[in-house]
Amino acid sequence: MGLMIRTDPGKYKLGRTREHYLQTMEELSSEIHDTNFEFGNFSNAIRSGKTVYSTTSSKDEFVIRKLNDNIRRLYNVRQANRAEIMSQLKLLLEEKIPFFAIKVDIKDFYESVPRKKLVKRICEESMLSYRGKELLKKLLLNSTRFTGNGLPRGVSISATLSELNMQEFDKKVRATEGVYYFARYVDDIIILSYSDADIVVRKIKEALYPDMVLNEEKTETIAINEKGNCTYYNPKPEISYLGYKFQFRLQSDVPTNPSTKGQPNVTQPPRINIKIADGKLAKLKKRIILSLLSYTHDKNYPLLLSRIKFLSGNCRMHRKGETGELLSGIFYNYPLIDESGQKELKLISKFLRSSVFSKNGNFGKKINGDLSAAQKDELAKLCFYAGHSKKITQSISAKRLQQIKKCWNHV
């Protein structure tokens, strides 16, 4: 079968002993290689207004996993690395040279990838095996399984196929005159260029495939001069990308009368501030409220405490069958924010305290009545700023993490 991990036997009930497991895998392999094999039904749910699909059987999961790996290797498809992109971008944005920064977003990205045309291309080429092509067609050319003409969200192979589809687009944009840095993370694109932003945006639109359009409302552009100050911006003197917000000092904010010898230096605002993006901060607040609302229904205080600790700190997970540990949380998700970004986390802590001690409206009355004074004090002591600056980290199991996230999975 290939691509099995040690958590599969328990997750998919493949057998308690090695012998039982191997027997089950042989049976699954035989079924999958049968020419009469058909994919089963997929479950679906609406998240953020988009339909997201999930497999409902181990057979389907294993076939898609293997197909995905084969296509990724054969076509040399690489998924973008968020941490790598942001580290590079931070260094480049801090340079004091004239440039334009352009952030654009492709609207309805997965839905606008023509899956039939893409499958036809793969099947006409000689890279994938005959059996692989047959399975790919069975998965994606069944018009009743997935709605629309694009790739199904949630199915692992869609990420690889979308990257394969965008390879030519990426080459064209990188080759655009004046562009010296280009990164695309799924549908989010950031470009640094010596050429005028309007020209670059026009070139991006020309390079897009049919049925793909930019989300004009999410387009952001700024111009930086040789001193590193912002001279033009639309709509704000900042660029938000992959959960970060880079705020630039305006040229108009630089003192026009620099200090002279014998006089005190004139304090200037920082040239650039690095913070957590507004949308991510809003999501943190929403998850705090959802955690408190969930508590008013289940009265499970240990779970509420775990949820707020998770949001305000960091967690360490050990996964069976994998080396090393997985670290995530307020610091590990946003390690690049500076002091200005950390100060905003103090406001999130203040929001937590005001929510816990609220007495206003139905929400405040329920929280005030359901939480004891000691519980409120314990929750109010949890600090997002400390979680980031001190890298406060707790170990957590996969099962507990699933329980913690349950009340905000749709957010």
Side-chain angles (χ1 to χ4, degrees):
M1 284 295 300
L3 291 184
M4 294 294 147
I5 58 177
R6 293 185 183 180
T7 53
D8 284 342
K11 183 177 181 180
Y12 296 110
K13 297 180 174 61
L14 301 177
R16 293 186 177 182
T17 65
R18 178 176 175 79
E19 290 73 19
H20 191 188
Y21 166 71
L22 291 175
Q23 181 184 345
T24 304
M25 293 311 303
E26 287 179 5
E27 293 172 357
L28 281 173
S29 181
S30 178
E31 286 185 58
I32 291 167
H33 284 91
D34 191 317
T35 55
N36 293 320
F37 170 82
E38 294 290 343
F39 288 95
N41 294 324
F42 284 64
S43 63
N44 65 78
I46 304 298
R47 295 178 187 170
S48 301
K50 307 291 184 184
T51 303
V52 179
Y53 297 89
S54 302
T55 56
T56 58
S57 76
S58 57
K59 286 185 295 185
D60 291 352
E61 175 64 27
F62 296 150
V63 172
I64 294 172
R65 194 185 292 178
K66 181 60 177 173
L67 260 179
N68 180 54
D69 182 65
N70 287 348
I71 293 173
R72 182 176 54 80
R73 286 186 296 102
L74 292 169
Y75 285 90
N76 193 29
V77 175
R78 289 180 67 248
Q79 303 291 333
N81 184 298
R82 175 180 178 267
E84 184 179 300
I85 290 173
M86 297 315 300
S87 293
Q88 294 171 348
L89 188 60
K90 176 181 180 292
L91 292 174
L92 292 170
L93 290 177
E94 288 176 337
E95 289 187 337
K96 294 183 179 181
I97 58 172
F99 66 88
F100 291 89
I102 307 110
K103 184 258 181 178
V104 294
D105 170 85
I106 300 174
K107 191 174 183 179
D108 299 329
F109 180 65
Y110 282 110
E111 290 77 10
S112 60
V113 176
R115 73 169 183 264
K116 292 182 179 179
K117 184 177 179 180
L118 187 55
V119 170
K120 182 181 178 182
R121 168 196 160 183
I122 294 172
C123 290
E124 287 177 348
E125 296 172 346
S126 59
M127 304 286 280
L128 191 63
S129 68
Y130 175 79
R131 182 58 179 159
K133 293 174 182 178
E134 289 300 303
L135 290 170
L136 187 64
K137 287 189 286 187
K138 284 187 176 184
L139 174 65
L140 294 178
L141 297 188
N142 184 331
S143 60
T144 62
R145 182 174 292 116
F146 306 119
T147 59
N149 298 316
L151 294 171
R153 289 177 182 264
V155 181
S156 59
I157 200 171
S158 292
T160 296
L161 291 176
S162 67
E163 290 301 308
L164 175 60
N165 182 71
M166 296 299 288
Q167 284 179 339
E168 193 60 33
F169 167 83
D170 293 349
K171 290 179 183 177
K172 288 182 179 179
V173 178
R174 284 194 177 96
T176 299
E177 184 177 357
V179 171
Y180 67 93
Y181 182 78
F182 165 86
R184 180 180 56 80
Y185 192 87
V186 190
D187 56 348
D188 285 326
I189 298 169
I190 188 81
I191 292 171
L192 303 184
S193 171
Y194 302 122
S195 299
D196 185 88
D198 291 338
I199 296 174
V200 175
V201 171
R202 187 172 73 246
K203 292 293 184 181
I204 294 172
K205 291 178 179 178
E206 292 173 358
L208 282 172
Y209 301 114
D211 299 327
M212 280 191 174
V213 295
L214 297 184
N215 192 333
E216 302 290 350
E217 294 179 356
K218 293 186 178 181
T219 298
E220 300 171 3
T221 58
I222 60 171
I224 303 298
N225 63 13
E226 68 280 358
K227 294 183 179 180
N229 299 318
C230 183
T231 57
Y232 166 84
Y233 59 88
N234 184 22
K236 297 178 180 180
E238 61 190 41
I239 289 286
S240 295
Y241 193 64
L242 302 188
Y244 284 95
K245 178 171 65 175
F246 297 88
Q247 288 183 326
F248 291 85
R249 180 177 63 199
L250 291 171
Q251 179 62 43
S252 57
D253 290 338
V254 178
T256 55
N257 296 317
S259 60
T260 58
K261 188 175 181 180
Q263 294 180 338
N265 291 328
V266 178
T267 302
Q268 297 186 15
R271 195 184 72 77
I272 182 172
N273 288 321
I274 306 175
K275 305 179 179 182
I276 298 175
D278 294 342
K280 297 297 183 181
L281 292 175
K283 186 175 287 187
L284 275 176
K285 290 181 178 180
K286 193 166 187 178
R287 288 179 173 179
I288 289 171
I289 296 300
L290 288 172
S291 298
L292 291 170
L293 284 174
S294 180
Y295 170 74
T296 63
H297 291 98
D298 59 33
K299 303 298 187 295
N300 189 338
Y301 178 73
L303 181 56
L304 170 62
L305 183 62
S306 293
R307 282 172 170 156
I308 304 302
K309 282 185 176 180
F310 173 80
L311 291 174
S312 62
N314 305 279
C315 69
R316 180 190 299 108
M317 282 187 59
H318 294 275
R319 293 182 172 181
K320 291 182 179 179
E322 298 181 21
T323 58
E325 56 188 13
L326 178 65
L327 294 165
S328 65
I330 199 69
F331 172 79
Y332 295 103
N333 292 346
Y334 307 102
L336 301 182
I337 66 170
D338 57 19
E339 187 178 351
S340 66
Q342 289 182 333
K343 284 181 178 179
E344 287 194 337
L345 291 178
K346 292 182 178 180
L347 298 179
I348 301 297
S349 298
K350 185 177 180 180
F351 175 83
L352 168 64
R353 289 193 292 272
S354 64
S355 299
V356 167
F357 290 105
S358 174
K359 296 181 181 180
N360 299 323
N362 292 330
F363 171 78
K365 290 177 182 178
K366 287 191 69 66
I367 292 298
N368 189 51
D370 291 339
L371 285 171
S372 69
Q375 289 171 338
K376 291 178 183 178
D377 288 339
E378 185 175 28
L379 291 170
K381 289 178 182 177
L382 297 176
C383 178
F384 287 79
Y385 174 84
H388 188 277
S389 61
K390 296 180 180 180
K391 303 181 189 178
I392 296 173
T393 304
Q394 61 176 328
S395 294
I396 193 168
S397 69
K399 184 177 181 181
R400 188 58 170 174
L401 183 60
Q402 188 177 21
Q403 294 173 331
I404 287 172
K405 291 184 175 182
K406 187 176 180 180
C407 74
W408 65 64
N409 271 337
H410 61 289
V411 177

